Amino acid sequence: MRYVIVIVAIAFFIIWDGLYNEGRYLDYSVREMKTVVHYVTG
């Protein structure tokens, strides 16, 4: 049940971000993740 709540929350955030912010926060998050992965993997 915990995982369902987490998945629904993430899906809700993505939909909200896409509708009201043109995906700005999602784009920023993806860019930050890539930077962290690149930093960790060298």
Side-chain angles (χ1 to χ4, degrees):
M1 189 63 192
R2 257 187 309 208
Y3 301 113
V4 173
I5 294 170
V6 170
I7 291 168
V8 169
I10 291 170
F12 180 77
F13 172 76
I14 291 171
I15 292 167
W16 170 81
D17 188 43
L19 288 176
Y20 296 103
N21 302 309
E22 285 106 31
R24 192 182 319 145
Y25 292 112
L26 190 64
D27 186 48
Y28 179 75
S29 303
V30 169
R31 239 181 284 141
E32 284 296 309
M33 289 272 268
K34 284 182 183 174
T35 303
V36 168
V37 168
H38 185 63
Y39 182 75
V40 168
T41 56

mmCIF file of all heavy atoms in Angstrom:
data_model
loop_
_atom_site.group_PDB
_atom_site.id
_atom_site.type_symbol
_atom_site.label_atom_id
_atom_site.label_comp_id
_atom_site.label_asym_id
_atom_site.label_seq_id
_atom_site.Cartn_x
_atom_site.Cartn_y
_atom_site.Cartn_z
ATOM 1 N N MET A 1 0.826 -1.208 0.000
ATOM 2 C CA MET A 1 0.000 0.000 0.000
ATOM 3 C C MET A 1 0.864 1.265 0.000
ATOM 4 O O MET A 1 0.532 2.254 -0.632
ATOM 5 C CB MET A 1 -0.901 -0.028 1.236
ATOM 6 C CG MET A 1 -1.964 1.061 1.222
ATOM 7 S SD MET A 1 -3.087 0.825 -0.162
ATOM 8 C CE MET A 1 -3.944 2.364 -0.128
ATOM 9 N N ARG A 2 1.988 1.189 0.717
ATOM 10 C CA ARG A 2 2.899 2.335 0.751
ATOM 11 C C ARG A 2 3.358 2.728 -0.645
ATOM 12 O O ARG A 2 3.407 3.902 -0.996
ATOM 13 C CB ARG A 2 4.148 1.980 1.568
ATOM 14 C CG ARG A 2 4.156 2.561 2.944
ATOM 15 C CD ARG A 2 5.486 2.290 3.575
ATOM 16 N NE ARG A 2 5.812 0.868 3.455
ATOM 17 C CZ ARG A 2 6.577 0.214 4.297
ATOM 18 N NH1 ARG A 2 7.119 0.831 5.304
ATOM 19 N NH2 ARG A 2 6.813 -1.055 4.142
ATOM 20 N N TYR A 3 3.719 1.712 -1.452
ATOM 21 C CA TYR A 3 4.243 1.973 -2.793
ATOM 22 C C TYR A 3 3.182 2.592 -3.686
ATOM 23 O O TYR A 3 3.497 3.446 -4.514
ATOM 24 C CB TYR A 3 4.777 0.680 -3.411
ATOM 25 C CG TYR A 3 5.881 0.052 -2.578
ATOM 26 C CD1 TYR A 3 5.697 -1.163 -1.939
ATOM 27 C CD2 TYR A 3 7.092 0.720 -2.416
ATOM 28 C CE1 TYR A 3 6.704 -1.719 -1.165
ATOM 29 C CE2 TYR A 3 8.101 0.173 -1.638
ATOM 30 C CZ TYR A 3 7.907 -1.048 -1.023
ATOM 31 O OH TYR A 3 8.888 -1.590 -0.255
ATOM 32 N N VAL A 4 1.946 2.155 -3.522
ATOM 33 C CA VAL A 4 0.850 2.715 -4.321
ATOM 34 C C VAL A 4 0.712 4.208 -4.040
ATOM 35 O O VAL A 4 0.581 5.016 -4.962
ATOM 36 C CB VAL A 4 -0.475 1.977 -4.015
ATOM 37 C CG1 VAL A 4 -1.637 2.660 -4.711
ATOM 38 C CG2 VAL A 4 -0.376 0.519 -4.427
ATOM 39 N N ILE A 5 0.785 4.587 -2.782
ATOM 40 C CA ILE A 5 0.672 5.998 -2.409
ATOM 41 C C ILE A 5 1.823 6.804 -3.017
ATOM 42 O O ILE A 5 1.624 7.886 -3.562
ATOM 43 C CB ILE A 5 0.640 6.151 -0.880
ATOM 44 C CG1 ILE A 5 -0.647 5.525 -0.331
ATOM 45 C CG2 ILE A 5 0.752 7.612 -0.475
ATOM 46 C CD1 ILE A 5 -0.683 5.404 1.168
ATOM 47 N N VAL A 6 3.034 6.253 -2.967
ATOM 48 C CA VAL A 6 4.200 6.937 -3.533
ATOM 49 C C VAL A 6 4.045 7.103 -5.038
ATOM 50 O O VAL A 6 4.278 8.186 -5.581
ATOM 51 C CB VAL A 6 5.498 6.163 -3.197
ATOM 52 C CG1 VAL A 6 6.675 6.720 -3.971
ATOM 53 C CG2 VAL A 6 5.769 6.221 -1.703
ATOM 54 N N ILE A 7 3.620 6.047 -5.723
ATOM 55 C CA ILE A 7 3.448 6.107 -7.182
ATOM 56 C C ILE A 7 2.371 7.119 -7.552
ATOM 57 O O ILE A 7 2.541 7.912 -8.478
ATOM 58 C CB ILE A 7 3.132 4.697 -7.736
ATOM 59 C CG1 ILE A 7 4.368 3.807 -7.603
ATOM 60 C CG2 ILE A 7 2.679 4.779 -9.191
ATOM 61 C CD1 ILE A 7 4.092 2.343 -7.852
ATOM 62 N N VAL A 8 1.263 7.114 -6.832
ATOM 63 C CA VAL A 8 0.187 8.072 -7.101
ATOM 64 C C VAL A 8 0.669 9.499 -6.860
ATOM 65 O O VAL A 8 0.370 10.403 -7.648
ATOM 66 C CB VAL A 8 -1.056 7.747 -6.241
ATOM 67 C CG1 VAL A 8 -2.063 8.875 -6.294
ATOM 68 C CG2 VAL A 8 -1.691 6.437 -6.701
ATOM 69 N N ALA A 9 1.430 9.705 -5.804
ATOM 70 C CA ALA A 9 1.952 11.046 -5.514
ATOM 71 C C ALA A 9 2.877 11.527 -6.622
ATOM 72 O O ALA A 9 2.790 12.677 -7.069
ATOM 73 C CB ALA A 9 2.682 11.043 -4.178
ATOM 74 N N ILE A 10 3.751 10.654 -7.105
ATOM 75 C CA ILE A 10 4.670 11.025 -8.188
ATOM 76 C C ILE A 10 3.893 11.317 -9.461
ATOM 77 O O ILE A 10 4.162 12.308 -10.151
ATOM 78 C CB ILE A 10 5.714 9.908 -8.407
ATOM 79 C CG1 ILE A 10 6.659 9.847 -7.203
ATOM 80 C CG2 ILE A 10 6.509 10.157 -9.686
ATOM 81 C CD1 ILE A 10 7.566 8.652 -7.197
ATOM 82 N N ALA A 11 2.916 10.469 -9.779
ATOM 83 C CA ALA A 11 2.101 10.684 -10.977
ATOM 84 C C ALA A 11 1.334 12.001 -10.880
ATOM 85 O O ALA A 11 1.263 12.756 -11.848
ATOM 86 C CB ALA A 11 1.138 9.513 -11.174
ATOM 87 N N PHE A 12 0.784 12.287 -9.718
ATOM 88 C CA PHE A 12 0.055 13.541 -9.513
ATOM 89 C C PHE A 12 0.975 14.740 -9.705
ATOM 90 O O PHE A 12 0.614 15.722 -10.346
ATOM 91 C CB PHE A 12 -0.559 13.563 -8.114
ATOM 92 C CG PHE A 12 -1.318 14.825 -7.821
ATOM 93 C CD1 PHE A 12 -2.588 15.006 -8.346
ATOM 94 C CD2 PHE A 12 -0.763 15.823 -7.042
ATOM 95 C CE1 PHE A 12 -3.300 16.177 -8.086
ATOM 96 C CE2 PHE A 12 -1.458 16.990 -6.780
ATOM 97 C CZ PHE A 12 -2.734 17.166 -7.304
ATOM 98 N N PHE A 13 2.195 14.651 -9.172
ATOM 99 C CA PHE A 13 3.159 15.736 -9.330
ATOM 100 C C PHE A 13 3.507 15.959 -10.797
ATOM 101 O O PHE A 13 3.558 17.099 -11.259
ATOM 102 C CB PHE A 13 4.430 15.435 -8.525
ATOM 103 C CG PHE A 13 5.535 16.418 -8.798
ATOM 104 C CD1 PHE A 13 5.489 17.684 -8.255
ATOM 105 C CD2 PHE A 13 6.612 16.072 -9.603
ATOM 106 C CE1 PHE A 13 6.503 18.598 -8.502
ATOM 107 C CE2 PHE A 13 7.621 16.979 -9.862
ATOM 108 C CZ PHE A 13 7.572 18.250 -9.312
ATOM 109 N N ILE A 14 3.738 14.878 -11.527
ATOM 110 C CA ILE A 14 4.094 14.997 -12.953
ATOM 111 C C ILE A 14 2.951 15.628 -13.736
ATOM 112 O O ILE A 14 3.162 16.516 -14.565
ATOM 113 C CB ILE A 14 4.484 13.615 -13.521
ATOM 114 C CG1 ILE A 14 5.815 13.167 -12.919
ATOM 115 C CG2 ILE A 14 4.572 13.658 -15.046
ATOM 116 C CD1 ILE A 14 6.188 11.739 -13.240
ATOM 117 N N ILE A 15 1.717 15.197 -13.466
ATOM 118 C CA ILE A 15 0.559 15.754 -14.171
ATOM 119 C C ILE A 15 0.375 17.227 -13.814
ATOM 120 O O ILE A 15 0.187 18.070 -14.687
ATOM 121 C CB ILE A 15 -0.710 14.938 -13.834
ATOM 122 C CG1 ILE A 15 -0.601 13.540 -14.447
ATOM 123 C CG2 ILE A 15 -1.960 15.655 -14.328
ATOM 124 C CD1 ILE A 15 -1.626 12.563 -13.940
ATOM 125 N N TRP A 16 0.479 17.550 -12.519
ATOM 126 C CA TRP A 16 0.348 18.943 -12.079
ATOM 127 C C TRP A 16 1.420 19.826 -12.713
ATOM 128 O O TRP A 16 1.147 20.916 -13.206
ATOM 129 C CB TRP A 16 0.450 18.994 -10.558
ATOM 130 C CG TRP A 16 0.564 20.378 -10.009
ATOM 131 C CD1 TRP A 16 -0.456 21.249 -9.804
ATOM 132 C CD2 TRP A 16 1.761 21.051 -9.609
ATOM 133 N NE1 TRP A 16 0.048 22.423 -9.289
ATOM 134 C CE2 TRP A 16 1.401 22.327 -9.164
ATOM 135 C CE3 TRP A 16 3.110 20.681 -9.588
ATOM 136 C CZ2 TRP A 16 2.333 23.243 -8.699
ATOM 137 C CZ3 TRP A 16 4.041 21.595 -9.126
ATOM 138 C CH2 TRP A 16 3.647 22.854 -8.687
ATOM 139 N N ASP A 17 2.648 19.317 -12.732
ATOM 140 C CA ASP A 17 3.762 20.072 -13.297
ATOM 141 C C ASP A 17 3.544 20.300 -14.787
ATOM 142 O O ASP A 17 3.764 21.399 -15.294
ATOM 143 C CB ASP A 17 5.068 19.311 -13.055
ATOM 144 C CG ASP A 17 6.283 20.125 -13.435
ATOM 145 O OD1 ASP A 17 6.316 21.324 -13.117
ATOM 146 O OD2 ASP A 17 7.200 19.566 -14.054
ATOM 147 N N GLY A 18 3.093 19.277 -15.481
ATOM 148 C CA GLY A 18 2.858 19.404 -16.914
ATOM 149 C C GLY A 18 1.736 20.371 -17.242
ATOM 150 O O GLY A 18 1.834 21.153 -18.192
ATOM 151 N N LEU A 19 0.669 20.368 -16.437
ATOM 152 C CA LEU A 19 -0.486 21.218 -16.732
ATOM 153 C C LEU A 19 -0.249 22.679 -16.372
ATOM 154 O O LEU A 19 -0.629 23.571 -17.118
ATOM 155 C CB LEU A 19 -1.712 20.710 -15.966
ATOM 156 C CG LEU A 19 -2.323 19.403 -16.460
ATOM 157 C CD1 LEU A 19 -3.457 18.997 -15.527
ATOM 158 C CD2 LEU A 19 -2.834 19.538 -17.879
ATOM 159 N N TYR A 20 0.376 22.917 -15.223
ATOM 160 C CA TYR A 20 0.449 24.280 -14.717
ATOM 161 C C TYR A 20 1.810 24.955 -14.873
ATOM 162 O O TYR A 20 1.907 26.163 -14.796
ATOM 163 C CB TYR A 20 0.040 24.310 -13.243
ATOM 164 C CG TYR A 20 -1.405 23.901 -13.053
ATOM 165 C CD1 TYR A 20 -1.732 22.643 -12.586
ATOM 166 C CD2 TYR A 20 -2.424 24.780 -13.378
ATOM 167 C CE1 TYR A 20 -3.064 22.266 -12.430
ATOM 168 C CE2 TYR A 20 -3.756 24.412 -13.230
ATOM 169 C CZ TYR A 20 -4.063 23.153 -12.753
ATOM 170 O OH TYR A 20 -5.357 22.782 -12.613
ATOM 171 N N ASN A 21 2.857 24.169 -15.082
ATOM 172 C CA ASN A 21 4.199 24.760 -15.146
ATOM 173 C C ASN A 21 4.939 24.400 -16.430
ATOM 174 O O ASN A 21 6.145 24.603 -16.523
ATOM 175 C CB ASN A 21 5.039 24.299 -13.954
ATOM 176 C CG ASN A 21 4.396 24.657 -12.640
ATOM 177 O OD1 ASN A 21 4.016 25.788 -12.421
ATOM 178 N ND2 ASN A 21 4.254 23.688 -11.760
ATOM 179 N N GLU A 22 4.244 23.821 -17.402
ATOM 180 C CA GLU A 22 4.856 23.377 -18.659
ATOM 181 C C GLU A 22 6.040 22.440 -18.426
ATOM 182 O O GLU A 22 7.001 22.457 -19.185
ATOM 183 C CB GLU A 22 5.315 24.574 -19.508
ATOM 184 C CG GLU A 22 4.168 25.300 -20.173
ATOM 185 C CD GLU A 22 3.903 26.624 -19.476
ATOM 186 O OE1 GLU A 22 4.847 27.226 -18.939
ATOM 187 O OE2 GLU A 22 2.741 27.056 -19.471
ATOM 188 N N GLY A 23 5.987 21.666 -17.355
ATOM 189 C CA GLY A 23 7.037 20.682 -17.086
ATOM 190 C C GLY A 23 8.332 21.282 -16.578
ATOM 191 O O GLY A 23 9.374 20.633 -16.636
ATOM 192 N N ARG A 24 8.277 22.505 -16.076
ATOM 193 C CA ARG A 24 9.498 23.198 -15.641
ATOM 194 C C ARG A 24 10.212 22.458 -14.516
ATOM 195 O O ARG A 24 11.418 22.241 -14.571
ATOM 196 C CB ARG A 24 9.133 24.610 -15.188
ATOM 197 C CG ARG A 24 10.334 25.510 -14.997
ATOM 198 C CD ARG A 24 9.910 26.877 -14.508
ATOM 199 N NE ARG A 24 8.703 27.347 -15.186
ATOM 200 C CZ ARG A 24 7.755 28.074 -14.606
ATOM 201 N NH1 ARG A 24 7.873 28.428 -13.352
ATOM 202 N NH2 ARG A 24 6.690 28.447 -15.276
ATOM 203 N N TYR A 25 9.445 22.058 -13.482
ATOM 204 C CA TYR A 25 10.068 21.400 -12.340
ATOM 205 C C TYR A 25 10.577 20.016 -12.710
ATOM 206 O O TYR A 25 11.641 19.602 -12.264
ATOM 207 C CB TYR A 25 9.081 21.309 -11.171
ATOM 208 C CG TYR A 25 8.753 22.660 -10.582
ATOM 209 C CD1 TYR A 25 7.488 23.210 -10.719
ATOM 210 C CD2 TYR A 25 9.725 23.382 -9.913
ATOM 211 C CE1 TYR A 25 7.196 24.445 -10.191
ATOM 212 C CE2 TYR A 25 9.443 24.624 -9.385
ATOM 213 C CZ TYR A 25 8.176 25.154 -9.519
ATOM 214 O OH TYR A 25 7.881 26.380 -9.006
ATOM 215 N N LEU A 26 9.830 19.310 -13.540
ATOM 216 C CA LEU A 26 10.261 17.981 -13.976
ATOM 217 C C LEU A 26 11.544 18.086 -14.783
ATOM 218 O O LEU A 26 12.476 17.301 -14.593
ATOM 219 C CB LEU A 26 9.145 17.327 -14.806
ATOM 220 C CG LEU A 26 9.359 15.849 -15.126
ATOM 221 C CD1 LEU A 26 9.367 15.021 -13.853
ATOM 222 C CD2 LEU A 26 8.283 15.359 -16.065
ATOM 223 N N ASP A 27 11.620 19.059 -15.681
ATOM 224 C CA ASP A 27 12.814 19.269 -16.494
ATOM 225 C C ASP A 27 14.015 19.573 -15.605
ATOM 226 O O ASP A 27 15.101 19.027 -15.793
ATOM 227 C CB ASP A 27 12.565 20.415 -17.483
ATOM 228 C CG ASP A 27 13.703 20.591 -18.460
ATOM 229 O OD1 ASP A 27 14.133 19.578 -19.030
ATOM 230 O OD2 ASP A 27 14.155 21.725 -18.658
ATOM 231 N N TYR A 28 13.816 20.418 -14.612
ATOM 232 C CA TYR A 28 14.892 20.760 -13.682
ATOM 233 C C TYR A 28 15.332 19.523 -12.897
ATOM 234 O O TYR A 28 16.532 19.297 -12.723
ATOM 235 C CB TYR A 28 14.404 21.856 -12.728
ATOM 236 C CG TYR A 28 15.429 22.260 -11.703
ATOM 237 C CD1 TYR A 28 16.517 23.054 -12.056
ATOM 238 C CD2 TYR A 28 15.310 21.841 -10.386
ATOM 239 C CE1 TYR A 28 17.463 23.422 -11.111
ATOM 240 C CE2 TYR A 28 16.247 22.198 -9.438
ATOM 241 C CZ TYR A 28 17.325 22.990 -9.804
ATOM 242 O OH TYR A 28 18.253 23.335 -8.870
ATOM 243 N N SER A 29 14.376 18.722 -12.452
ATOM 244 C CA SER A 29 14.703 17.515 -11.690
ATOM 245 C C SER A 29 15.513 16.537 -12.526
ATOM 246 O O SER A 29 16.494 15.962 -12.054
ATOM 247 C CB SER A 29 13.429 16.821 -11.212
ATOM 248 O OG SER A 29 12.664 17.704 -10.438
ATOM 249 N N VAL A 30 15.108 16.350 -13.780
ATOM 250 C CA VAL A 30 15.828 15.429 -14.665
ATOM 251 C C VAL A 30 17.253 15.923 -14.883
ATOM 252 O O VAL A 30 18.204 15.142 -14.855
ATOM 253 C CB VAL A 30 15.078 15.272 -16.009
ATOM 254 C CG1 VAL A 30 15.931 14.553 -17.028
ATOM 255 C CG2 VAL A 30 13.778 14.519 -15.787
ATOM 256 N N ARG A 31 17.409 17.233 -15.085
ATOM 257 C CA ARG A 31 18.743 17.794 -15.289
ATOM 258 C C ARG A 31 19.626 17.591 -14.063
ATOM 259 O O ARG A 31 20.803 17.242 -14.175
ATOM 260 C CB ARG A 31 18.644 19.282 -15.633
ATOM 261 C CG ARG A 31 19.265 19.558 -16.983
ATOM 262 C CD ARG A 31 19.225 21.022 -17.359
ATOM 263 N NE ARG A 31 17.878 21.401 -17.776
ATOM 264 C CZ ARG A 31 17.321 22.558 -17.458
ATOM 265 N NH1 ARG A 31 17.963 23.448 -16.765
ATOM 266 N NH2 ARG A 31 16.098 22.825 -17.869
ATOM 267 N N GLU A 32 19.049 17.799 -12.879
ATOM 268 C CA GLU A 32 19.807 17.599 -11.644
ATOM 269 C C GLU A 32 20.211 16.138 -11.469
ATOM 270 O O GLU A 32 21.325 15.845 -11.064
ATOM 271 C CB GLU A 32 18.978 18.054 -10.435
ATOM 272 C CG GLU A 32 18.916 19.550 -10.298
ATOM 273 C CD GLU A 32 20.271 20.167 -10.037
ATOM 274 O OE1 GLU A 32 20.988 19.716 -9.117
ATOM 275 O OE2 GLU A 32 20.635 21.107 -10.770
ATOM 276 N N MET A 33 19.282 15.215 -11.787
ATOM 277 C CA MET A 33 19.579 13.789 -11.683
ATOM 278 C C MET A 33 20.727 13.412 -12.595
ATOM 279 O O MET A 33 21.621 12.661 -12.215
ATOM 280 C CB MET A 33 18.344 12.956 -12.040
ATOM 281 C CG MET A 33 17.273 13.028 -10.997
ATOM 282 S SD MET A 33 17.515 11.794 -9.751
ATOM 283 C CE MET A 33 16.528 10.494 -10.447
ATOM 284 N N LYS A 34 20.715 13.917 -13.829
ATOM 285 C CA LYS A 34 21.794 13.626 -14.779
ATOM 286 C C LYS A 34 23.124 14.137 -14.241
ATOM 287 O O LYS A 34 24.142 13.460 -14.357
ATOM 288 C CB LYS A 34 21.503 14.270 -16.137
ATOM 289 C CG LYS A 34 20.459 13.532 -16.936
ATOM 290 C CD LYS A 34 20.259 14.206 -18.271
ATOM 291 C CE LYS A 34 19.165 13.525 -19.067
ATOM 292 N NZ LYS A 34 18.851 14.239 -20.301
ATOM 293 N N THR A 35 23.109 15.318 -13.644
ATOM 294 C CA THR A 35 24.324 15.889 -13.087
ATOM 295 C C THR A 35 24.852 15.007 -11.944
ATOM 296 O O THR A 35 26.051 14.720 -11.896
ATOM 297 C CB THR A 35 24.059 17.316 -12.554
ATOM 298 O OG1 THR A 35 23.534 18.101 -13.614
ATOM 299 C CG2 THR A 35 25.321 17.956 -12.034
ATOM 300 N N VAL A 36 23.964 14.569 -11.072
ATOM 301 C CA VAL A 36 24.363 13.715 -9.953
ATOM 302 C C VAL A 36 24.906 12.388 -10.458
ATOM 303 O O VAL A 36 25.949 11.918 -10.002
ATOM 304 C CB VAL A 36 23.168 13.502 -8.991
ATOM 305 C CG1 VAL A 36 23.483 12.396 -7.986
ATOM 306 C CG2 VAL A 36 22.826 14.793 -8.278
ATOM 307 N N VAL A 37 24.210 11.769 -11.428
ATOM 308 C CA VAL A 37 24.667 10.483 -11.979
ATOM 309 C C VAL A 37 26.039 10.649 -12.627
ATOM 310 O O VAL A 37 26.920 9.832 -12.443
ATOM 311 C CB VAL A 37 23.622 9.925 -12.979
ATOM 312 C CG1 VAL A 37 24.205 8.767 -13.765
ATOM 313 C CG2 VAL A 37 22.371 9.505 -12.237
ATOM 314 N N HIS A 38 26.202 11.723 -13.388
ATOM 315 C CA HIS A 38 27.477 11.983 -14.053
ATOM 316 C C HIS A 38 28.585 12.190 -13.020
ATOM 317 O O HIS A 38 29.706 11.712 -13.189
ATOM 318 C CB HIS A 38 27.354 13.216 -14.961
ATOM 319 C CG HIS A 38 28.575 13.489 -15.761
ATOM 320 N ND1 HIS A 38 29.069 12.613 -16.700
ATOM 321 C CD2 HIS A 38 29.412 14.548 -15.762
ATOM 322 C CE1 HIS A 38 30.159 13.127 -17.235
ATOM 323 N NE2 HIS A 38 30.388 14.299 -16.674
ATOM 324 N N TYR A 39 28.279 12.880 -11.945
ATOM 325 C CA TYR A 39 29.241 13.136 -10.891
ATOM 326 C C TYR A 39 29.640 11.832 -10.178
ATOM 327 O O TYR A 39 30.798 11.606 -9.894
ATOM 328 C CB TYR A 39 28.651 14.128 -9.890
ATOM 329 C CG TYR A 39 29.600 14.502 -8.764
ATOM 330 C CD1 TYR A 39 30.660 15.373 -8.995
ATOM 331 C CD2 TYR A 39 29.410 13.996 -7.495
ATOM 332 C CE1 TYR A 39 31.532 15.720 -7.964
ATOM 333 C CE2 TYR A 39 30.272 14.335 -6.458
ATOM 334 C CZ TYR A 39 31.329 15.188 -6.699
ATOM 335 O OH TYR A 39 32.173 15.514 -5.684
ATOM 336 N N VAL A 40 28.637 10.980 -9.921
ATOM 337 C CA VAL A 40 28.887 9.733 -9.194
ATOM 338 C C VAL A 40 29.676 8.747 -10.067
ATOM 339 O O VAL A 40 30.630 8.122 -9.605
ATOM 340 C CB VAL A 40 27.566 9.095 -8.723
ATOM 341 C CG1 VAL A 40 27.771 7.678 -8.225
ATOM 342 C CG2 VAL A 40 26.929 9.949 -7.634
ATOM 343 N N THR A 41 29.292 8.639 -11.345
ATOM 344 C CA THR A 41 29.952 7.662 -12.218
ATOM 345 C C THR A 41 31.288 8.179 -12.740
ATOM 346 O O THR A 41 32.102 7.401 -13.220
ATOM 347 C CB THR A 41 29.049 7.306 -13.411
ATOM 348 O OG1 THR A 41 28.703 8.507 -14.116
ATOM 349 C CG2 THR A 41 27.791 6.602 -12.965
ATOM 350 N N GLY A 42 31.519 9.457 -12.633
ATOM 351 C CA GLY A 42 32.795 10.016 -13.061
ATOM 352 C C GLY A 42 32.741 10.382 -14.501
ATOM 353 O O GLY A 42 33.689 10.415 -15.231
#
